[in-house]
Amino acid sequence: MGPLLLHSVSYAGLWGQAFLSLDQFIDKAADLGYQGVMLMAKRPHLSVLDYGPKECQRLRAKLEARGLRSVCIAGYTNFSADLEHGDIPHREIQTQHVTGLARMAQDLGGSLVRIFTGYENTAAAYHAQWKLLVDSLRECARRASDYGVIVGVQNHHDLAAGYETMYDLICAVNEPNCRAMFDAWAPYLHGADLAAAAKKLAPLTVHTTIADYQLRPRYRYDPRVCNYVTETPLAQAVPMGQGDIDYRRFLSALWDRGSNASVAYEMCSPLLAGGGMEALDQYARAFLEYMSSTESGPK
């Protein structure tokens, strides 16, 4: 099992939850007992606009002083955005951003930068977007290699969200430092076999991010028929081990296939227990307790 990280998005206040500055978050992660951190690469945390070499040097010293030796930068990209306006060099802007994140990762003593693919855009055919994505990821990976950094693709956005297509994507990019940051959340919602998905992606997976959910049925009343129409269920975040995602099976499949991926915990949606600091800390501790029970592999 790789190191256990806490994602700073959990304490960024983005869903009305309690907020911590980046320095405060680092202290929080260390005090809770995490081995490393996943740092949200946008304001109000680790923005490329605010953290040059000098600022990163200071932040690295704090990370090392608190014993947080594993650092992953969490980038936010969308390579298929604004295809409606071909005169805007969006791909170049995104690629430069990822290059900047790789520089920050090196400055902080890390070697992983998480990125997303793209939301499917009606302004272009699917295969045109696929080619754009493959070409962009290949260039990002080559530029990140100058900093000794791995670009990790998370299965979050529409393109390559399915695990089979995620595998195809990493193979198509065909760069040694472009790898998967494969999560269980998406294939679970897709109805895929989590063990089969993990086994296929394990040789390519360098990191996985975890959050647990229970599905809440939703209904809309239709007065024309005096009945309810079934809507897409709500995914409600709950403490680790209390949700519907079989993480023991997923992690076991990763480990059985030789993956030593780092594992990050995130709270990136409203929590069932609310958004107070006590609730956030409760969830963060529950993750560590859950993972400690899997130390020799899930049962």
Side-chain angles (χ1 to χ4, degrees):
M1 180 167 57
L4 302 181
L5 284 59
L6 184 59
H7 195 337
S8 77
V9 72
S10 308
Y11 290 83
L14 300 183
W15 292 271
Q17 289 125 308
F19 167 76
L20 292 178
S21 69
L22 192 51
D23 279 357
Q24 291 171 327
F25 165 76
I26 289 170
D27 287 330
K28 173 70 72 175
D31 291 343
L32 288 168
Y34 280 82
Q35 300 163 318
V37 288
M38 190 172 184
L39 300 179
M40 182 182 77
K42 59 182 179 180
R43 290 172 174 168
H45 283 175
L46 189 73
S47 170
V48 293
L49 297 176
D50 304 323
Y51 282 83
K54 182 186 296 185
E55 292 79 13
C56 285
Q57 183 180 20
R58 181 198 62 79
L59 190 61
R60 179 173 180 170
K62 183 175 180 67
L63 289 165
E64 292 176 350
R66 294 309 316 262
L68 298 170
R69 306 202 176 276
S70 184
V71 178
C72 174
I73 305 298
Y76 295 82
T77 53
N78 180 11
F79 288 98
S80 57
D82 202 30
L83 291 177
E84 295 85 351
H85 303 99
D87 54 322
I88 306 301
H90 188 71
R91 172 183 164 184
E92 295 172 40
I93 295 168
Q94 296 268 288
T95 302
Q96 177 59 30
H97 181 62
V98 175
T99 305
L101 298 181
R103 185 267 303 166
M104 284 202 304
Q106 183 190 60
D107 288 347
L108 293 174
S111 61
L112 296 177
V113 169
R114 188 284 309 276
I115 62 172
F116 297 138
T117 58
Y119 292 111
E120 193 167 345
N121 193 321
T122 57
Y126 177 87
H127 289 292
Q129 295 178 66
W130 178 268
K131 184 179 185 306
L132 169 68
L133 179 59
V134 170
D135 291 344
S136 299
L137 292 183
R138 188 174 292 142
E139 183 173 5
C140 286
R142 290 173 178 173
R143 291 180 178 275
S145 68
D146 293 338
Y147 299 93
V149 166
I150 292 172
V151 172
V153 184
Q154 186 178 16
N155 50 325
H156 185 282
H157 291 357
D158 301 339
L159 297 174
Y163 78 90
E164 300 95 339
T165 352
M166 168 65 75
Y167 182 88
D168 293 342
L169 177 67
I170 304 300
C171 292
V173 174
N174 194 29
E175 290 290 333
N177 67 318
C178 180
R179 288 292 176 260
M181 291 193 176
F182 186 61
D183 300 347
W185 171 74
Y188 161 72
L189 291 177
H190 300 160
D193 184 317
L194 286 184
K199 286 177 181 178
K200 188 172 184 67
L201 270 295
L204 303 176
T205 298
V206 295
H207 176 92
T208 186
T209 303
I210 282 179
D212 212 355
Y213 296 90
Q214 294 175 0
L215 293 185
R216 296 283 192 267
R218 293 174 56 246
Y219 307 96
R220 177 175 50 82
Y221 184 67
D222 185 348
R224 298 170 302 171
V225 292
C226 299
N227 206 340
Y228 288 88
V229 177
T230 301
E231 301 280 4
T232 302
L234 166 74
Q236 175 62 63
V238 296
M240 192 66 191
Q242 296 183 24
D244 300 326
I245 305 175
D246 192 347
Y247 276 109
R248 295 188 186 277
R249 191 161 179 258
F250 176 79
L251 291 171
S252 180
L254 280 181
W255 293 334
D256 288 348
R257 288 299 176 96
S259 175
N260 193 36
S262 51
V263 184
Y265 181 64
E266 68 175 4
M267 292 170 274
C268 60
S269 62
L271 307 182
L272 184 61
M277 190 66 69
E278 186 177 342
L280 295 177
D281 291 353
Q282 173 198 342
Y283 276 51
R285 289 191 184 97
F287 169 76
L288 292 176
E289 291 167 4
Y290 180 91
M291 293 303 294
S292 70
S293 71
T294 71
E295 206 164 338
S296 58
K299 301 296 188 286

